[in-house]
Amino acid sequence: MLSPPSRPSGAAGRPAASRASRAGLGWGLLGVAAFSFTVPFTKAAVAGGGMSPLFVGAGRAVIAAVLAALALAATRQRLPRGAQWARLAVVAGGVVAGFPLLTSYALSTASAGHSAVVIALLPAATAVLAVLRGRERPPVPFWVAAGVGAVAAVCFASVRGGGLGAPGWPDLLLIAAVLAAGLGYAEGGLLARELGAWQTISWALVLSAPVMAALAGLAVWQSPPTGTPVQWAAFGYLGVVSMFLGFFAWYRGLAIGPMARVSQIQLVQPVLTIGWAALFLGERITWPTLLGGLAVIASAGLAVRARTGGTAAPRRAAPRGNRPPAQGRSQAPETEAR
């Protein structure tokens, strides 16, 4: 009887690992590009007071939850099991409720540029939480590049947004939003290895739907939303892309990993965010902005090219929803890199 073929090891397995790493970075970049519109579009939605921060933060989650429920039902995904529900609650608390609501309230008074100062710390927060939660051990050069990138991102956004200044409630809300999103990203990236990328955010949205729907209903009852077509379009983007489709790419990138390296692609998000703010909100782009943007992108490149070293990223388990379905059940989309 023939023995099963052995898996490639050593140098023979490096090309496949390199391709998987590039795929993870590529998916992460696509997710960051989608998320880079979130801050300026949130600012546009809450500007003028026609839409309350509570409505914008909770309402977009309701839109995304409806899309998620339809996707899960159409592909007949299996229900998460046991402790996975508790982990989904962590994801929902961080990226479905925490970050959207906190940033919506902060952006009701803070500018998009000022908000980018604090949100630029998100890559570092995600990397630290990924190491603590996922037991990854990036090498020292990675942390040096990540630290330099975080400083460069903050300095860049400070020049554009006028600096942090005296801490106020918007700053505290944004710091809390960064911690919430970092925790949700780290836990969601790990859970995506079991459930699949799009399945993870979809189940998190469905799990939080009753609470977010109640909050959105309360917001409508307190102050019926009004807005221009542009504001409603921005709100629609937040619900469909920022809250749903963007996570397809982002969690897939984190699942392929290494998570701590993929998270550093967020360092280019302040550059993109302020660029969109200039385009859609009329903010001026100066030479310091361009030079700062180049510094941020260079730091991100150094971080993602740093060797992983230490303990390898945990092996990905086959998503439960991707196992061979029972007769009459449709096959779920695969999340492994090809």
Side-chain angles (χ1 to χ4, degrees), residues 149-162:
V151 171
V154 170
C155 291
F156 159 67
S158 295
V159 170
R160 189 71 184 108

Side-chain angles (χ1 to χ4, degrees), residues 241-252:
V241 180
S242 296
M243 205 76 228
F244 187 56
L245 295 181
F247 281 99
F248 280 45
W250 181 241
Y251 276 151
R252 175 161 180 156

Side-chain angles (χ1 to χ4, degrees), residues 107-126:
L107 284 164
S108 64
T109 56
S111 67
H114 181 92
S115 301
V117 175
V118 183
I119 295 176
L121 301 175
L122 183 55
T126 303

Side-chain angles (χ1 to χ4, degrees), residues 215-271:
L215 291 176
L218 176 63
V220 171
W221 178 75
Q222 290 179 335
S223 177
T226 60
T228 65
V230 171
Q231 288 178 309
W232 282 110
F235 176 73
Y237 181 94
L238 295 174
V240 176
V241 180
S242 296
M243 205 76 228
F244 187 56
L245 295 181
F247 281 99
F248 280 45
W250 181 241
Y251 276 151
R252 175 161 180 156
L254 290 177
I256 295 172
M259 192 187 303
R261 290 178 65 198
V262 174
S263 69
Q264 297 309 295
I265 294 184
Q266 294 171 101
L267 287 167
V268 305
Q269 188 166 327
V271 182

Side-chain angles (χ1 to χ4, degrees), residues 32-313:
V32 165
F35 295 149
S36 67
F37 291 92
T38 301
V39 168
F41 282 7
T42 301
K43 180 65 177 178
V46 300
M51 299 184 190
S52 69
L54 181 60
F55 174 77
V56 173
R60 72 195 208 186
V62 174
I63 294 175
V66 172
L67 298 176
L70 293 174
L72 291 170
T75 55
R76 300 184 180 182
Q77 296 295 303
R78 294 183 180 181
L79 290 172
R81 299 179 181 178
Q84 289 177 337
W85 285 110
R87 297 169 65 189
L88 283 169
V90 173
V91 176
V95 301
V96 177
F99 187 84
L101 288 171
L102 291 168
T103 53
S104 293
Y105 276 101
L107 284 164
S108 64
T109 56
S111 67
H114 181 92
S115 301
V117 175
V118 183
I119 295 176
L121 301 175
L122 183 55
T126 303
V128 171
L129 291 168
V131 166
L132 295 177
R133 182 62 184 88
R135 299 179 181 179
E136 295 183 9
R137 295 296 181 267
V140 173
F142 169 85
W143 290 111
V144 172
V148 171
V151 171
V154 170
C155 291
F156 159 67
S158 295
V159 170
R160 189 71 184 108
L164 281 172
W169 279 111
D171 300 308
L172 298 179
L173 291 174
L174 290 168
I175 290 173
V178 166
L179 294 176
L183 181 59
Y185 285 168
E187 190 63 49
L190 291 172
L191 196 52
R193 296 168 178 169
E194 303 173 20
L195 298 176
W198 70 270
Q199 294 93 331
T200 297
I201 186 59
S202 295
W203 284 118
L205 286 164
V206 170
L207 180 63
S208 61
V211 173
M212 303 309 286
L215 291 176
L218 176 63
V220 171
W221 178 75
Q222 290 179 335
S223 177
T226 60
T228 65
V230 171
Q231 288 178 309
W232 282 110
F235 176 73
Y237 181 94
L238 295 174
V240 176
V241 180
S242 296
M243 205 76 228
F244 187 56
L245 295 181
F247 281 99
F248 280 45
W250 181 241
Y251 276 151
R252 175 161 180 156
L254 290 177
I256 295 172
M259 192 187 303
R261 290 178 65 198
V262 174
S263 69
Q264 297 309 295
I265 294 184
Q266 294 171 101
L267 287 167
V268 305
Q269 188 166 327
V271 182
L272 297 174
T273 295
I274 294 180
W276 303 137
L279 180 62
F280 296 108
L281 303 179
E283 297 184 5
R284 294 176 57 248
I285 298 180
T286 62
W287 278 108
T289 298
L290 295 177
L291 295 176
L294 292 176
V296 171
I297 293 174
S299 300
L302 290 175
V304 300
R305 290 179 65 87
R307 290 184 177 274
T308 53
T311 303

